Amino acid sequence: MKIATTSQRNNTAPKSKIYAKYEKLLAEIEKQKQFKINMAEGLQKAYTKIEHDLLPLEDEAQLLMRDFLIRVDELATQIGVGKYNEEYLVNYMGNELDSLLDIFGHQDAVLSKLHEKYTGYSLDELAADDDAVGLAKSISELVGVDIDVKEMLKKGQEAYFEEFREKFAEQINSRREDFFNNLDTEAENKKKKPGTKKVSDETADIAKDARGIYMRLIKKFHPDLERDAELKEQKTEIVKQVTKAYQENDFFTLLKLQLTHIDDNETDVAARADNMLKHYIKLLESQLLELNQSIHQIHYSNGTTVADFIDKNGKFSPQKFSAQRRRAEKQINQLKTALADSKKRPKGWFKEQMSMIKDIVMQHMMHDMFGDMFNNFR
């Protein structure tokens, strides 16, 4: 003889919409809780793999790209480009140097000089540019730390923000605490106003309902009242679950246990349980919303590079990481081959590079053109 762990009502009769919604919310919350746990572990694995396996490759590729741009400029000076190709070369070199200077900074005198050659802007002019000043101002307002534009350009954006990362994090966390403290203050003020007892009343209702469910289940399944050894063991386990949930103030687990152990003849208990579902389902929806917001914040606060290696279950994806590593290795090999060829056959190599440069610039121009057109139709 065994205890029925699910009521016949729930097994044979169609579930009400409110009960189906309750079950769906509980399942989604459990799924997202596990996703959050997986993501924390996955991000840690991603950090370790990136630091040891990927960053050295990316550093090597960046240095080779630096040498590649310098070599292209050397041959453009020696061989000549021609008016038709010059516009493409200027466009390509300016964009590529912009990206590299975010990494190396204008403290790299060679890259800084090349950038000025192809863009026409010196470091002082870039630091005074309205867009750069506006960006620095926006970041300053966001993190609460003054941004020195010239220092940022000189060190490179990546190195600059890495240097001040802890300071930025402190400011952001401080502002976040102030924000939530203000919310708490507003909530406390609302409680003091007439007609705002609802929040405190709901808390009291939850405690009262939890106590009622606890007492009913303990009374129903108390093992000391059972003589059958098998049933006594099963009841002992149920009482442990009920007691644990009650002691941890886990109301929703208590409610789930009550719904699980309703007998067919307990129609009054079933009716009360359905009424509870209608009342408390909003709290589950709020819990799910907060959980999703927390996941979103953790995911995107760790940077897109790290987040790219997290799969749909929140776990670290070896396949995605391996694909990125292969791309980095391929880029390194291509750059090494290109630099070697530039020494063996400079004129032929430079002609081939100019052809590829024109293709790249044209692709970017087409993308920008049709991207703008698409945005206008949205």
Side-chain angles (χ1 to χ4, degrees):
M1 181 177 181
K2 292 186 178 181
I3 296 174
T5 56
T6 305
S7 68
Q8 186 179 358
R9 177 177 70 95
N10 289 335
N11 274 333
T12 59
K15 295 177 181 177
S16 66
K17 289 183 178 179
I18 193 71
Y19 184 77
K21 187 174 184 179
Y22 168 80
E23 280 194 321
K24 184 178 179 180
L25 278 169
L26 278 180
E28 186 64 19
I29 285 172
E30 289 305 312
K31 176 185 173 183
Q32 292 303 88
K33 282 182 177 178
Q34 187 59 52
F35 182 92
K36 188 175 179 180
I37 293 170
N38 292 345
M39 188 170 62
E41 296 173 352
L43 288 172
Q44 188 58 50
K45 286 183 180 178
Y47 274 125
T48 303
K49 294 287 285 182
I50 288 171
E51 183 177 357
H52 290 93
D53 297 345
L54 194 57
L55 285 182
L57 294 174
E58 291 183 349
D59 289 343
E60 184 179 0
Q62 289 159 3
L63 287 169
L64 286 168
M65 189 63 186
R66 178 184 183 277
D67 293 340
F68 176 82
L69 294 180
I70 292 171
R71 183 59 176 160
V72 168
D73 174 69
E74 286 176 353
L75 292 179
T77 304
Q78 293 173 15
I79 299 170
V81 182
K83 290 183 179 180
Y84 177 73
N85 290 329
E86 185 176 1
E87 183 179 350
Y88 291 104
L89 182 65
V90 167
N91 186 306
Y92 173 79
M93 293 291 285
N95 288 331
E96 294 298 328
L97 286 163
D98 277 340
S99 299
L100 277 188
L101 284 168
D102 283 344
I103 300 164
F104 293 102
H106 282 263
Q107 60 192 352
D108 186 318
V110 175
L111 289 184
S112 184
K113 187 175 180 180
L114 274 182
H115 186 268
E116 185 174 353
K117 175 181 177 179
Y118 285 99
T119 66
Y121 292 104
S122 66
L123 174 58
D124 289 335
E125 289 172 323
L126 289 170
D129 181 74
D130 290 341
D131 289 339
V133 172
L135 175 63
K137 184 179 180 182
S138 299
I139 297 173
S140 296
E141 291 173 352
L142 176 65
V143 301
V145 176
D146 289 334
I147 304 294
D148 186 320
V149 181
K150 188 170 182 178
E151 183 184 4
M152 179 179 69
L153 292 172
K154 194 166 186 177
K155 291 182 176 180
Q157 288 187 25
E158 291 190 13
Y160 182 81
F161 287 118
E162 180 64 25
E163 182 179 340
F164 293 99
R165 182 165 55 104
E166 291 186 7
K167 189 175 182 180
F168 291 156
E170 288 175 6
Q171 290 293 331
I172 291 172
N173 289 333
S174 176
R175 289 189 168 209
R176 187 185 294 122
E177 288 177 8
D178 291 341
F179 173 76
F180 285 112
N181 287 337
N182 289 335
L183 287 182
D184 292 340
T185 302
E186 290 176 9
E188 288 297 323
N189 291 336
K190 285 182 180 179
K191 287 180 184 179
K192 296 175 183 177
K193 294 179 182 178
T196 59
K197 282 181 60 183
K198 191 173 181 180
V199 174
S200 57
D201 287 347
E202 283 185 351
T203 302
D205 288 344
I206 291 176
K208 183 179 178 181
D209 289 342
R211 174 75 178 169
I213 294 171
Y214 170 74
M215 294 301 295
R216 175 188 165 274
L217 292 175
I218 290 295
K219 181 178 179 181
K220 180 178 180 179
F221 295 108
H222 202 295
D224 291 349
L225 303 177
E226 182 59 61
R227 293 183 179 181
D228 184 279
E230 185 179 356
L231 289 178
K232 187 170 186 174
E233 182 179 350
Q234 293 178 37
K235 287 184 175 182
T236 299
E237 181 58 32
I238 293 172
V239 167
K240 284 181 181 178
Q241 294 174 15
V242 171
T243 302
K244 182 175 184 291
Y246 184 68
Q247 290 176 344
E248 294 179 356
N249 296 318
D250 188 349
F251 172 74
F252 294 113
T253 296
L254 278 173
L255 183 57
K256 185 176 181 179
L257 286 167
Q258 171 162 278
L259 289 166
T260 301
H261 298 295
I262 292 175
D263 295 332
D264 294 334
N265 60 349
E266 295 180 300
T267 55
D268 58 329
V269 176
R272 287 201 301 272
D274 283 344
N275 287 332
M276 284 183 188
L277 289 177
K278 294 175 183 178
H279 181 68
Y280 295 117
I281 201 167
K282 291 182 179 179
L283 296 178
L284 281 175
E285 290 173 334
S286 177
Q287 182 179 346
L288 180 59
L289 177 63
E290 290 177 4
L291 186 58
N292 285 333
Q293 289 174 338
S294 174
I295 289 171
H296 181 85
Q297 182 180 5
I298 294 170
H299 191 280
Y300 290 102
S301 65
N302 284 278
T304 54
T305 302
V306 180
D308 283 345
F309 304 127
I310 300 300
D311 66 16
K312 63 181 181 180
N313 297 313
K315 295 182 178 181
F316 172 74
S317 172
Q319 294 80 9
K320 289 184 177 182
F321 185 84
S322 295
Q324 179 63 24
R325 180 172 179 171
R326 285 194 298 271
R327 284 193 289 269
E329 290 171 339
K330 182 178 179 181
Q331 183 185 15
I332 288 170
N333 290 332
Q334 288 175 338
L335 287 169
K336 284 181 176 179
T337 300
L339 288 168
D341 284 349
S342 76
K343 302 291 185 181
K344 294 177 183 177
R345 48 185 193 91
K347 288 186 178 181
W349 180 86
F350 182 69
K351 184 178 180 180
E352 292 170 0
Q353 298 309 310
M354 281 307 308
S355 178
M356 286 189 287
I357 285 171
K358 283 193 286 186
D359 288 342
I360 291 170
V361 173
M362 287 297 295
Q363 287 174 14
H364 288 167
M365 290 172 63
M366 295 292 286
H367 180 271
D368 292 342
M369 184 191 307
F370 287 106
D372 291 340
M373 289 175 61
F374 176 75
N375 290 331
N376 290 333
F377 281 111
R378 291 182 68 178

